[in-house]
Amino acid sequence: MTEQLDRTPPQPDYPVRTGRLALRPVRADDLDAVHAYRSLPGIALHLPHEPHTREETRKTLERLAAGQALAAPGDWLGLAVETAAGRVVGEVLLRRDDRAPLTGEIGFVFHPDVHGTGVAAEAVTAALGLAFDTFGWHRVTGVCTVRNTASAALMRRVGMRLEAVARQDVHRKGAWQDRLHFAVLAAEHRRPRPRSADERAVDAAVTAFYAAFTRRGGEPVTLDGVRAVLAPGAVIERVNPDGTVDRMDTESFIAPREALLGGPDLTDFTEAEVAATTLVAGDTATRTGEYAKWGVRAGTAFSGWGRKTFRLGRADGGGWLVESFCWTDEPEAPAGH
């Protein structure tokens, strides 16, 4: 058993391909692509370090390249995530545990361009497959701060379970922060719970709702995608910070947001669900989740998050329409804070 624990794990036949991506060890010539996101304040917000200088990115790639065989416990393997066009859009990192080598840790970082596209989940799922099926690991853990809702949602999405909340266990960016500890076992990764056809249909309706709000580079936006998933007479409520509730119908909800998205100030905007629970009972479904939003307003980057609860009903033809929803927003912050 000692030999098995201490041995260098077998090496995959790189690149490891998924439906849209290829994963392979990072290289020195990935410097420009990796630095493009590791240097961003919004990306570094939830990482242990400040935005990277180019030299810091270069040294990071050197360290990852030196440990890519996972020959020694404690080594990190950095996997570059490439699109079909050959663009590196992120990294997934696997660390061989220095106390129990058949246990590992996973981490990840992605360019904002692919947030909300499913690329991260696809890449992390593939990396977990390497950890369990190629390296022979028994358990993989992951950690993020409580405020990093996107990473927490991603770990849940790929089948990792929240095992603990460690209160103020890391001092980062000038403050003590709580961290969430996730884990998944090999047997759990190989046998994920299948989602029902109704759950997938609810996923599609909610995803279409959020996707409709996307604006890039000041391009014109309409919210017809929102209108398409709202049932006639849908009831919409916003819960304000003081506990009061604003109630509105479809057009009184859409009109001011369509004007904002089509105006000169909010030139870039993305809103994406990052964690959700779906309950389907007959012809009714409830979707409760958290969402993240980020963009550029009047030339200044910002980010924020909130919670939404949707009530959906089955429509003719088997699809689902939103009959009502309510939401609350947390205060926005400048990107990097």
Side-chain angles (χ1 to χ4, degrees):
M1 177 62 75
T2 300
E3 290 181 359
Q4 181 184 10
L5 294 178
D6 290 343
R7 66 179 174 81
T8 299
Q11 297 304 294
D13 184 14
Y14 294 115
V16 175
R17 298 191 182 277
T18 68
R20 295 179 291 174
L21 308 169
L23 278 65
R24 45 85 178 161
V26 295
R27 304 186 300 247
D29 61 3
D30 294 323
L31 177 59
D32 288 343
V34 172
H35 187 62
Y37 53 82
R38 280 190 174 258
S39 61
L40 297 175
I43 295 298
L45 177 63
H46 298 299
L47 296 177
H49 55 72
E50 297 297 330
H52 267 176
T53 65
R54 188 175 178 84
E55 179 63 14
E56 288 169 336
T57 303
R58 185 186 65 77
K59 290 181 177 178
T60 295
L61 293 178
E62 287 181 351
R63 287 195 298 271
L64 292 173
Q68 70 182 36
L70 297 177
D75 280 351
W76 282 97
L77 164 64
L79 295 169
V81 179
E82 284 187 336
T83 66
R87 179 191 173 195
V88 173
V89 294
E91 305 149 61
V92 182
L93 302 106
L94 292 170
R95 177 180 177 270
R96 186 179 173 192
D97 196 288
D98 53 3
R99 296 160 299 177
L102 290 186
T103 296
E105 180 181 351
I106 195 164
F108 40 83
V109 55
F110 291 91
H111 195 289
D113 285 355
V114 298
H115 289 174
T117 65
V119 162
E122 188 173 330
V124 171
T125 298
L128 287 172
L130 278 181
F132 293 128
D133 299 330
T134 301
F135 301 155
W137 290 355
H138 169 69
R139 171 180 161 92
V140 173
T141 63
V143 180
C144 68
T145 61
V146 169
R147 293 189 61 185
N148 191 352
T149 56
S151 289
L154 174 57
M155 285 189 277
R156 287 189 179 97
R157 192 174 299 123
V158 299
M160 302 182 76
R161 299 187 185 194
L162 178 63
E163 294 191 335
V165 179
R167 298 177 59 203
Q168 298 189 15
D169 76 328
V170 64
H171 193 270
R172 185 176 293 171
K173 310 296 171 69
W176 286 102
Q177 298 188 36
D178 300 345
R179 290 197 297 177
L180 306 176
H181 290 250
F182 290 85
V184 60
L185 302 179
E188 295 169 331
H189 177 72
R190 295 178 182 126
R191 292 193 299 272
R193 183 186 74 82
R195 293 181 65 75
S196 70
D198 283 336
E199 288 175 317
R200 294 195 300 271
V202 169
D203 289 345
V206 173
T207 298
F209 176 94
Y210 282 109
F213 290 92
T214 302
R215 190 181 196 189
R216 291 282 183 268
E219 291 294 320
V221 172
T222 69
L223 293 182
D224 290 343
V226 175
R227 293 184 177 94
V229 298
L230 292 179
V235 176
I236 302 165
E237 295 179 328
R238 176 178 181 172
V239 181
N240 298 308
D242 61 2
T244 60
V245 176
D246 297 331
R247 177 171 286 194
M248 59 203 85
D249 61 19
T250 297
E251 287 307 315
S252 60
F253 167 75
I254 287 178
R257 290 159 182 81
E258 206 163 46
L260 180 63
L261 285 166
D265 290 337
L266 192 62
T267 53
D268 286 90
F269 185 74
T270 301
E271 191 172 84
E273 193 175 56
V274 296
T277 300
T278 303
L279 174 64
V280 178
D283 291 334
T284 300
T286 302
R287 173 71 156 242
T288 302
E290 295 182 353
Y291 63 93
K293 57 183 178 178
W294 59 93
V296 178
R297 183 189 295 112
T300 300
F302 70 92
S303 64
W305 65 283
R307 300 178 180 89
K308 276 192 176 78
T309 297
F310 297 88
R311 184 180 182 277
L312 302 94
R314 194 186 304 275
D316 294 340
W320 292 83
L321 292 176
V322 176
E323 296 178 340
S324 65
F325 71 89
C326 65
W327 87 97
T328 183
D329 285 313
E330 295 297 319
E332 293 177 359
H337 292 273

